[in-house]
Amino acid sequence: MARIAGSSGPRTEEAIRRAGLSLIATHGYAAMSLRQLAAEVGIQQGSLYNYFRNKQEFLFDLIRGHMLDLHAALDAALLPEGSAEARLTRFTEFHVAYHVERPQEVFICYSELRSLEPDNLAAVVAMRRDYERKLGEILDDGRATGEFHLADTRMATLAILAMLSGICTWYKPGGRLSTDGLQEIFTGMVLALARGETQALARGEAAETVAVPARRRGALRAGIG
Amino acid sequence: MARIAGSSGPRTEEAIRRAGLSLIATHGYAAMSLRQLAAEVGIQQGSLYNYFRNKQEFLFDLIRGHMLDLHAALDAALLPEGSAEARLTRFTEFHVAYHVERPQEVFICYSELRSLEPDNLAAVVAMRRDYERKLGEILDDGRATGEFHLADTRMATLAILAMLSGICTWYKPGGRLSTDGLQEIFTGMVLALARGETQALARGEAAETVAVPARRRGALRAGIG
DNA sequence: GTCTATAGAGAGATAGAC
DNA sequence: GTCTATCTCTCTATAGAC
């Protein structure tokens, strides 16, 4: 990635941001060296410190910035009123579109929580709780009105978010499905899940206990040492 | 973690395995140093090389070993015949139980794929494809028999696996729900999702385009430099 | 099989010239 | 704002005594 010599602060900052997102999403925060990052941007490693105080702060800025964007975008997209089904549909459409639009940032926000120092982690977790709460309220409302039949709205919240957020682990631009197509398919699945009401039927048919066998022995390379 | 001095190969091996799972699940492969690992086991860092040739091989052994266990356990648990609903129920019960039983290993198998070298990654991805295929066949069969009404069975496969595998990111032993309780709740949600058939209803109500706003400017720390 | 000691490479971060 | 140079630390991996 060649670079025009000379000063160009804002452009450099944006280039660092983009290169960082890409490198962290691909290799992980701990595995990305600042030398790699600088090379990708086309500057020297020491110059990075004009843009952050240390590597941890860089990660936190990326994640916090994304969370702020996400919340602002969600608040703008959500329906303030309407049926729970309509609101859940809107939530799902938004969530899918956002994940398709910025898969790297979303992925990092899940996968690099472990790399945040305690204070930074706490700040991000609080924002994430808030996001979960907004979905949880829709599900609770829908259960109260009888639109949804969920055994456990907290589990449903986690299940729906995991299902939708999984998109950023496999989505590639230019794939078989458009954003619209993905929204329609996932909206259908989420609504079906929330409407539920048929939980008990099939379970009796296969309700023997499913045991998980014990771990194999000698897991590490046999024959060494 | 104190240790009885002297030789004890098999016990040391198991201790390394367990400490490695814990450290990698907590901090990640790249962030775990072999000094940390050795300290956790109670041996010196150089001694680890009696148990693996290098750090990468250690990771691959952990992941491959887990995938072998997982496949063997799934094959033992799956119903060879029966309705698609019964087979999907059984699949879900198994998957939930396995994730509750070994959350660390499962988590590593998702989160550390990025840390595998190309050949090792290819081997693991192939095993994972096989696992997805087994779920995909159940969904296809159910759609053929009319038990399931899914717009896209490939998306449903990914969605169900993401939803179930998310368990290992938040499950802690001794929580509010037992394994049985989780199996029942998740089986209910998976079956409701698969039965579907109501996709188009609510969508018209909230079908305006949901736009994702542009990225904020100045994402990195303002005012530095 | 475990230990001590160390080689050799690469990491994050800083200083000062331009 | 960027560069070169370097400090200091930690990392993986190896060698050889016991």
Side-chain angles (χ1 to χ4, degrees):
Chain A
M1 209 182 252
R3 178 177 192 282
I4 298 104
S7 296
S8 59
R11 259 186 301 171
T12 303
E13 174 166 338
E14 182 58 18
I16 293 172
R17 208 190 113 83
R18 287 166 49 133
L21 285 175
S22 170
L23 286 172
I24 295 175
T26 307
H27 305 295
Y29 167 78
M32 174 195 74
S33 77
L34 295 182
R35 283 178 173 78
Q36 268 184 294
L37 176 61
E40 195 75 16
V41 175
I43 59 176
Q44 293 303 308
Q45 185 243 338
S47 302
L48 291 172
Y49 287 83
N50 287 311
Y51 296 92
F52 47 73
R53 268 195 279 275
N54 52 54
K55 194 185 176 191
Q56 167 73 201
E57 189 186 87
F58 177 53
L59 176 65
F60 181 54
D61 285 345
L62 286 180
I63 292 181
R64 192 201 42 176
H66 172 259
M67 294 297 282
L68 291 173
D69 279 5
L70 178 67
H71 275 77
L74 177 66
D75 288 342
L78 277 191
L79 297 177
E81 48 192 22
S83 69
E85 287 199 351
R87 287 157 63 211
L88 180 57
T89 299
R90 177 60 73 97
F91 181 95
T92 304
E93 287 174 353
F94 165 76
H95 200 83
V96 169
Y98 200 93
H99 279 60
V100 163
E101 205 92 4
R102 307 197 198 169
Q104 286 182 335
E105 282 155 287
V106 173
F107 181 68
I108 289 172
C109 282
Y110 293 120
S111 61
E112 296 299 349
L113 293 184
R114 63 166 62 166
S115 303
L116 289 171
E117 289 169 5
D119 285 358
N120 294 339
L121 177 62
V124 173
V125 166
M127 297 176 85
R128 182 166 168 75
R129 284 261 157 72
D130 205 47
Y131 195 83
E132 290 172 359
R133 193 181 46 74
K134 287 170 183 168
L135 173 57
E137 283 174 0
I138 296 174
L139 297 181
D140 283 335
D141 289 353
R143 193 157 73 162
T145 64
E147 290 168 87
F148 300 152
H149 302 81
L150 287 162
D152 189 308
T153 54
R154 175 62 183 159
M155 291 297 106
T157 299
L158 295 174
I160 289 172
L161 284 177
M163 172 174 131
L164 296 178
S165 302
I167 292 174
C168 69
T169 66
W170 50 259
Y171 176 78
K172 296 284 177 297
R176 172 168 67 91
L177 292 162
S178 65
T179 300
D180 270 6
L182 284 173
Q183 284 178 319
E184 185 156 346
I185 290 168
F186 275 86
T187 301
M189 292 194 287
V190 168
L191 282 179
L193 185 159
R195 288 175 177 142
E197 190 166 28
T198 49
Q199 286 88 336
L201 286 182
R203 201 176 148 78
E205 203 176 329
E208 311 152 37
T209 301
V210 175
V212 176
R215 195 176 283 133
R216 280 167 321 104
R217 301 308 311 242
L220 300 185
R221 194 147 205 106
I224 210 182
Chain B
M1 211 182 254
R3 179 176 192 280
I4 298 103
S7 296
S8 60
R11 260 185 302 170
T12 303
E13 173 165 339
E14 183 58 18
I16 292 172
R17 208 190 113 82
R18 288 164 49 132
L21 286 175
S22 170
L23 285 171
I24 294 174
T26 307
H27 305 296
Y29 167 79
M32 175 196 73
S33 77
L34 296 182
R35 280 178 175 80
Q36 268 184 294
L37 177 60
E40 196 76 15
V41 175
I43 60 176
Q44 292 304 307
Q45 185 244 337
S47 302
L48 291 172
Y49 287 83
N50 287 310
Y51 296 93
F52 48 72
R53 270 197 276 275
N54 52 55
K55 195 185 175 189
Q56 167 74 199
E57 188 187 84
F58 177 54
L59 176 65
F60 182 53
D61 285 346
L62 287 180
I63 292 182
R64 193 201 42 180
H66 172 258
M67 294 297 282
L68 291 172
D69 278 6
L70 179 66
H71 275 79
L74 177 65
D75 288 341
L78 277 192
L79 296 177
E81 50 191 21
S83 69
E85 288 199 349
R87 287 158 62 210
L88 181 57
T89 299
R90 176 61 72 95
F91 181 95
T92 305
E93 288 174 354
F94 166 76
H95 200 83
V96 170
Y98 199 93
H99 279 59
V100 163
E101 204 92 6
R102 307 197 196 167
Q104 286 182 336
E105 282 155 286
V106 173
F107 180 68
I108 289 172
C109 283
Y110 293 119
S111 61
E112 295 299 347
L113 294 184
R114 62 167 62 166
S115 302
L116 289 172
E117 290 168 4
D119 286 358
N120 294 339
L121 176 62
V124 173
V125 166
M127 297 176 83
R128 183 168 167 75
R129 284 261 157 71
D130 205 46
Y131 195 83
E132 291 172 357
R133 194 181 44 74
K134 287 171 185 168
L135 172 57
E137 284 174 2
I138 296 174
L139 297 181
D140 284 335
D141 289 353
R143 192 157 73 161
T145 65
E147 290 169 86
F148 301 151
H149 302 82
L150 288 162
D152 189 308
T153 54
R154 175 63 184 159
M155 291 298 106
T157 299
L158 295 175
I160 290 172
L161 285 177
M163 172 173 132
L164 296 177
S165 302
I167 292 175
C168 69
T169 66
W170 49 261
Y171 176 78
K172 295 284 176 297
R176 173 168 66 91
L177 292 163
S178 66
T179 301
D180 270 6
L182 285 173
Q183 285 177 317
E184 186 157 344
I185 290 169
F186 275 87
T187 303
M189 291 193 287
V190 168
L191 282 178
L193 186 159
R195 286 176 179 143
E197 191 166 27
T198 49
Q199 287 88 334
L201 286 182
R203 201 177 147 78
E205 203 175 330
E208 312 153 36
T209 300
V210 175
V212 176
R215 193 176 287 132
R216 283 167 317 106
R217 301 308 312 242
L220 300 185
R221 195 150 207 104
I224 210 180

